[in-house]
Amino acid sequence: DTAVSQTPKYLVTQMGNDKSIKCEQNLGHDTMYWYKQDSKKFLKIMFSYNNKELIINETVPNRFSPKSPDKAHLNLHINSLELGDSAVYFCASSQFLTGIGAFGSGTQLSVL
Amino acid sequence: DQQVKQNSPSLSVQEGRISILNCDYTNSMFDYFLWYKKYPAEGPTFLISISSIKDKNEDGRFTVFLNKSAKHLSLHIVPSQPGDSAVYFCAAWNGNKLVFGAGTILRVKS
């Protein structure tokens, strides 16, 4: 009964590959996010979706494409993976225009 | 453009004492501030928040203070417990997104 669940927890892949990370929330929230925690440990927002509509796109490369089939799901697809994509990716959800969010446990992506 | 700064990467405190974690911000448009706590291999969890119209908010052992003129906020944990050992992130809300600091690792020694 995890509130925000994301899979996989670990992802090791080669440069140039395409991979996806899935996220689901059962809190009834209408807004979902993807954050990236880089090597300096900053959590930076990448995307946010409200009721399946893109609200925020923080100048993320086009190789990253979020997809929200419904308001409970926000998946992240990454094409042509690069070494610099190695990071921990967190999915989160909240009610629209509130900052209090629930986070998933993260996906550790390692690009070799 | 680091809008939210946590200048202390780590803090070590004895059990029972007060832990004070600090955070500075640069953007005066932020109207809501939050603290998140993160254990290893888990996502951040919401701890406490404060609106920009207040200067203090208390929840049990946790109190957040906001000094708007100094663009500074702090989280006080009294008394500190070993289970409080975690990474604490300060975050600021600008109306549509959270901006996080780099976090402070708190170690509470028993």
Side-chain angles (χ1 to χ4, degrees), chain A residues 58-78:
Chain A
E58 286 287 301
T59 59
V60 177
N62 290 339
R63 298 182 296 104
F64 290 78
S65 53
K67 284 188 172 51
S68 181
D70 55 60
K71 72 175 190 177
H73 295 83
L74 181 61
N75 304 321
L76 184 64
H77 188 76
I78 315 170

Side-chain angles (χ1 to χ4, degrees), chain B residues 32-48:
Chain B
Y32 199 64
F33 302 90
L34 304 91
W35 285 93
Y36 280 81
K37 175 179 178 180
K38 184 184 179 304
Y39 292 117
E42 294 183 13
T45 55
F46 170 72
L47 189 59
I48 192 169

Side-chain angles (χ1 to χ4, degrees), chain B residues 61-73:
Chain B
R61 297 186 297 114
F62 302 91
T63 304
V64 56
F65 296 92
L66 175 62
N67 182 334
K68 280 187 68 177
S69 59
K71 295 192 177 69
H72 177 84
L73 62 154

Side-chain angles (χ1 to χ4, degrees), chain A residues 9 33 35 37 40-43 45 48 56 58 90 97-101 103-105, chain B residues 2 4 32 34 36 38 41-44 46 49 89 93 95-98 100-102:
Chain A
K9 191 164 181 64
Y33 311 82
Y35 286 85
Q37 187 178 30
K40 294 183 180 178
K41 303 303 180 186
F42 283 99
L43 272 161
I45 191 165
S48 79
I56 293 174
E58 286 287 301
F90 289 97
L97 296 181
T98 70
I100 301 174
F103 282 77
S105 58
Chain B
Q2 213 173 310
V4 178
Y32 199 64
L34 304 91
Y36 280 81
K38 184 184 179 304
E42 294 183 13
F46 170 72
S49 63
F89 288 97
W93 175 253
N96 68 352
K97 69 177 182 181
L98 283 173
F100 282 87

